[in-house]
Amino acid sequence: MSYTDKFLDFLAASPSSYHAAHEVARQLQESGFQIQDEREDWSAAPGGHVMVRGGAVTAWYVPEGADKNSGFRIVGSHTDSPGLALKPTPDFSAAGWQQVAVEIYGGALLHTWFDRELTVAGQVVTTDGRQHLVNTGPVLRLPSLAIHLYRKDEFKPDRQKHMQPVLTVGDEEASILQVVGEQAGIAEQDIASFNLITADAARGAVFGAGEKFIAAGRMDNLSSVHASLEAMQRAAQDYDGSDILVMMAFDHEEVGSSSRYGAAGPILQDVLTRTARALGANEEERFQMFARSSCVSADAAHSVHPNYADKHDPTHQPIIGQGPVTKINGNQRYASDAQTIALWETACAKAGVPVQRFVGNNDVPCGSTIGPITATRLGIDTVDVGVPMLSMHSAREMVGEQDQIWLSRALEAYLKG
């Protein structure tokens, strides 16, 4: 199976952060990684280990020679994407229609969510405390208002009034939780709580003449999650170094990372600390291990847009199809510095992967990533990178097929050192 086919399958299996985390764990288990239960003694035995916490997942590979004199080689990413999250009481009716009350999650490009068939996906917790993954398939739609009724130059939907999808019409008993329960094989009355979000129900597609592009939802940032998963699987097969290899895919990056599952929370520090302790390191030796460590924060980057080229810095205009992007910002919105840029771009050169650089236009605000948060929390050298993308935060984004392959190869080269 080609890399692109595997990537499209991964996207289809990951309509929510919870699905993405479990899909990473499933694939790693098939590769021989062992599940780590947080409630049990920690394992740093030689081989691969993986742990899921909510919508976050982390994996670490311990080579035979690892000990308290090793460091950590970390690839960070995030599993969540902007969307429409279901409110706690989701069902309501208006003008004969049955609708679903949603809250806008993250910086969604709102107009792109209209006129698409939407699935509802995520986690349901039942009254017995069990957790269930749910993916309904196409059940919702956010219809546009006809132009005959909206004669304005610019479409600016009201975030509260105009962003509520329709479920059905003329059936006052209809309930989205009933649909969710039927898909999961549980009764609606047994649903105690849930974390559910919408996603574009259409499968990702390859298109283009010459350069091949991929169009799909949630590629910010499943493009990096999948690339790091592939890199980790390949690196673990023939790794001969002494550092511990780590893949960390956080949740909640799109809303600030401040959660038990986010980069501002304790999950990565927990994994590194417990692994160091299991290798015999005391507190001082753990700090020394961190000082020998590095992190590649992988998140989607901005490709220059041909219709809006003036939004980019005139001398830094990365473009789809010409390789992964090193993301740099003097105001520390990205964690890259001279040392970590050299580390990353040397790994790219080893892998035969071309490199581009992004610096923002001084008149255009710059986004941020998990990179500065990770560097600040742990004091670990960090660089920010990612594949160039158009339509970022759209319900359906666009990347280059070859850029995805290159990112995975470069991450593998970084992990192998």
Side-chain angles (χ1 to χ4, degrees):
M1 182 183 293
S2 72
Y3 181 94
T4 299
D5 287 337
K6 288 192 288 184
F7 180 43
L8 293 177
D9 285 348
F10 179 79
L11 294 173
S14 306
S16 76
S17 59
Y18 296 94
H19 286 83
H22 281 83
E23 180 63 14
V24 167
R26 184 193 69 80
Q27 291 196 28
L28 287 174
Q29 280 184 279
E30 288 186 354
S31 300
F33 281 59
Q34 302 297 312
I35 289 289
Q36 171 70 59
D37 188 329
E38 289 189 79
R39 299 165 296 184
E40 298 177 356
D41 288 344
W42 201 258
S43 177
H49 310 269
V50 59
M51 181 193 81
V52 174
R53 180 188 287 182
V57 59
T58 183
W60 57 105
Y61 179 80
V62 183
E64 289 286 349
D67 59 20
K68 61 185 182 182
N69 296 308
S70 301
F72 296 97
R73 304 185 73 83
I74 306 161
V75 177
S77 59
H78 66 89
T79 57
D80 63 319
S81 301
L84 309 176
L86 271 63
K87 290 184 176 179
T89 304
D91 296 306
F92 75 100
S93 298
W97 288 88
Q98 283 64 57
Q99 295 179 260
V100 174
V102 296
E103 181 179 13
I104 297 168
Y105 178 89
L109 207 56
L110 297 184
H111 68 273
T112 67
W113 287 89
F114 285 79
D115 303 326
R116 295 182 184 275
E117 290 66 54
L118 304 176
T119 186
V120 173
Q123 180 193 68
V124 168
V125 180
T126 47
T127 51
D128 59 4
R130 295 175 61 196
Q131 300 174 8
H132 307 260
L133 289 181
V134 179
N135 181 17
T136 63
V139 294
L140 300 182
R141 186 176 171 90
L142 197 58
S144 294
L145 182 65
I147 194 170
H148 313 83
L149 305 176
Y150 192 91
R151 294 188 178 278
K152 294 185 178 179
D153 292 334
E154 187 176 1
F155 177 51
K156 288 186 177 180
D158 183 284
R159 294 168 64 89
Q160 178 62 32
K161 293 192 298 182
H162 301 152
M163 296 302 298
Q164 312 305 317
V166 298
L167 174 64
T168 188
V169 63
D171 182 0
E172 295 184 358
E173 301 301 315
S175 165
I176 185 60
L177 293 184
Q178 181 181 8
V179 175
V180 166
E182 289 174 353
Q183 194 279 330
I186 55 180
E188 180 181 353
Q189 61 267 24
D190 291 334
I191 297 176
S193 190
F194 53 83
N195 290 300
L196 297 170
I197 196 166
T198 62
D200 182 10
R203 183 177 172 85
V206 178
F207 71 101
E211 177 67 37
K212 294 299 183 183
F213 306 108
I214 300 172
R218 296 179 47 74
M219 290 194 292
D220 177 12
N221 185 36
L222 295 186
S223 59
S224 300
V225 176
H226 184 260
S228 59
L229 168 62
E230 289 282 315
M232 174 64 95
Q233 288 175 310
R234 293 196 303 269
Q237 290 176 358
D238 58 357
Y239 180 58
D240 61 0
S242 60
D243 286 343
I244 298 96
L245 310 183
V246 181
M247 173 191 172
M248 179 69 248
F250 300 100
D251 200 355
H252 299 146
E253 189 274 346
E254 298 292 356
V255 291
S257 295
S258 295
S259 75
R260 183 168 177 261
Y261 320 109
I267 182 170
L268 178 56
Q269 184 171 0
D270 288 351
V271 169
L272 302 185
T273 297
R274 294 180 76 172
T275 301
R277 184 177 294 125
L279 289 170
N282 59 31
E283 184 178 22
E284 170 61 23
E285 290 164 337
R286 173 172 61 85
F287 280 115
Q288 293 174 16
M289 291 181 74
F290 282 14
R292 288 189 287 268
S293 302
S294 59
C295 175
V296 174
S297 164
D299 201 348
H302 295 291
S303 168
V304 64
H305 193 306
N307 297 335
Y308 301 90
D310 59 335
K311 293 293 185 180
H312 286 256
D313 181 81
T315 59
H316 296 83
Q317 298 195 347
I319 190 169
I320 287 177
Q322 295 186 15
V325 178
T326 308
K327 300 155 73 173
I328 303 163
N329 181 260
N331 294 308
Q332 299 302 299
R333 301 293 287 171
Y334 303 129
S336 309
D337 61 20
Q339 180 175 324
T340 59
I341 291 169
L343 172 70
W344 167 248
E345 295 188 354
T346 298
C348 290
K350 277 189 176 183
V353 171
V355 175
Q356 306 182 79
R357 292 181 175 181
F358 172 83
V359 178
N361 184 313
N362 288 328
D363 288 328
V364 179
C366 177
S368 192
T369 70
I370 63 162
I373 299 172
T374 302
T376 300
R377 273 194 59 86
L378 301 177
I380 290 176
D381 289 337
T382 303
V383 62
D384 275 292
V385 308
V387 293
M389 175 180 291
L390 287 176
S391 306
M392 190 181 293
H393 286 200
S394 168
R396 200 163 173 87
E397 297 159 327
M398 175 178 168
V399 300
E401 181 180 32
Q402 185 59 49
D403 291 331
Q404 276 296 125
I405 296 169
W406 277 330
L407 177 62
S408 182
R409 289 178 183 170
L411 291 174
E412 179 186 1
Y414 161 72
L415 288 172
K416 288 182 175 180

